Amino acid sequence: MPTSAELITSTLTETFDLDPAEVTPERTFEDLGLDSLALVEMGLMLQERTGISLDDVPLQTTIGELAALMDSSTADKALTTVPNSTS
């Protein structure tokens, strides 16, 4: 399964025709030339792929920060969906 950073990178490169070499963890979405509409579109695509809702991500967010947020959300989701093992 791809990492959150890999999902973000592939979504950006496939959807917005960005060079993968430009999509690095320290780059912001603004640095990459995305506007707020493009960011919403990317968020919806990532939500479809992961089930994680990405509302109101600022353009100044770095790819690394978004990946960490997604990883945190995935961990929280996994913790809340673990079945109770006691009988």
Side-chain angles (χ1 to χ4, degrees):
M1 182 168 182
T3 66
S4 297
E6 290 169 339
L7 279 172
I8 295 166
T9 299
S10 66
T11 300
L12 289 170
T13 57
E14 293 165 9
T15 306
F16 302 105
D17 199 30
L18 295 172
D19 180 354
E22 293 180 4
V23 183
T24 59
E26 65 278 350
R27 300 288 302 266
T28 67
F29 297 104
E30 189 172 46
D31 291 341
L32 295 171
L34 272 66
D35 60 15
S36 58
L37 183 59
L39 199 55
V40 168
E41 182 180 351
M42 182 201 66
L44 290 172
M45 290 176 167
L46 289 170
Q47 183 174 349
E48 285 179 15
R49 292 179 177 185
T50 65
I52 299 169
S53 178
L54 300 171
D55 297 328
D56 301 324
V57 175
L59 285 170
Q60 296 79 21
T61 303
T62 66
I63 293 169
E65 290 169 339
L66 181 58
L69 176 66
M70 289 175 65
D71 291 341
S72 171
S73 295
T74 302
D76 290 345
K77 190 176 188 180
L79 289 174
T80 60
T81 59
V82 173
N84 186 351
S85 61
T86 59
S87 18

